[in-house]
Amino acid sequence: RIPRHLNSLQVEALQTLALQVMAQIESHRQRALLTQAMQARERSHAALHDSDASWRRLFASSATGIVSAGADGRYLSANPAFCALVGRSEEELQGVEILAFTHPEDIAPCALEVHRLLAGEVDSFSIDKRYLRPDGEAIWARATVSQMQAAAV
């Protein structure tokens, strides 16, 4: 038998019970949201790791020479194809100014194009130039250069 009217203690007990149920529901909802966020973060980290690993494989196995340089114009990294082209190890290149192994006659045209790139006049450029190997041999190559934009945060 269900009473038609509740006394004040019964109403208070039901209100307390309702608040507890609502708090439990909110707690479960918050846990579900947190779990979803954590799973999304894990998927994002996995995708970033896969992308980084893919880039590293491409960088290492490319038949085309690839280098990266810092804003100061010094080599940061070079792949095996570029190292073979210039006859130097990646360690020998790191920290060295990028025009250091450029034939003297090609420095001015290269520097001009780099200036145009850094000034925002061009997005990229290609130039035929000579690299000097340790034995003094000049090796012709086409350098294609672009500026990598900083990642948005």
Side-chain angles (χ1 to χ4, degrees):
R1 180 170 180 250
I2 301 174
R4 290 184 183 221
H5 297 289
L6 301 173
N7 65 36
S8 63
L9 287 175
Q10 291 171 322
V11 169
E12 189 178 319
L14 284 176
Q15 287 175 337
T16 302
L17 181 60
L19 288 174
Q20 290 173 348
V21 168
M22 287 174 30
Q24 286 295 317
I25 290 170
E26 181 61 19
S27 175
H28 285 290
R29 189 181 75 78
Q30 290 292 329
R31 275 188 285 226
L33 289 173
L34 181 59
T35 299
Q36 289 173 350
M38 289 171 57
Q39 290 170 343
R41 183 176 178 183
E42 287 173 9
R43 287 191 302 271
S44 177
H45 279 283
L48 180 61
H49 179 269
D50 291 347
S51 176
D52 185 57
S54 180
W55 163 248
R56 289 182 187 280
R57 283 191 305 275
L58 173 68
F59 186 80
S61 64
S62 176
T64 301
I66 303 171
V67 301
S68 65
D72 63 355
R74 297 183 182 281
Y75 288 106
L76 295 174
S77 60
N79 74 342
F82 185 80
C83 292
L85 175 75
V86 298
R88 292 173 172 82
S89 70
E90 185 176 15
E91 292 76 23
E92 290 175 286
L93 294 172
Q94 287 177 342
V96 175
E97 204 275 326
I98 58 171
L99 294 177
F101 306 119
T102 298
H103 190 282
E105 294 176 12
D106 298 330
I107 290 176
C110 287
L112 175 64
E113 291 301 319
V114 169
H115 174 75
R116 293 180 63 227
L117 179 73
L118 295 176
E121 296 174 20
V122 295
D123 293 329
S124 64
F125 69 89
S126 293
I127 190 167
D128 292 323
K129 64 181 270 182
R130 290 163 286 185
Y131 289 97
L132 296 176
R133 296 175 55 88
D135 63 4
E137 180 185 9
I139 301 293
W140 280 97
R142 170 160 289 213
T144 300
V145 181
S146 61
Q147 186 175 13
M148 186 167 52
Q149 299 300 319
V153 180

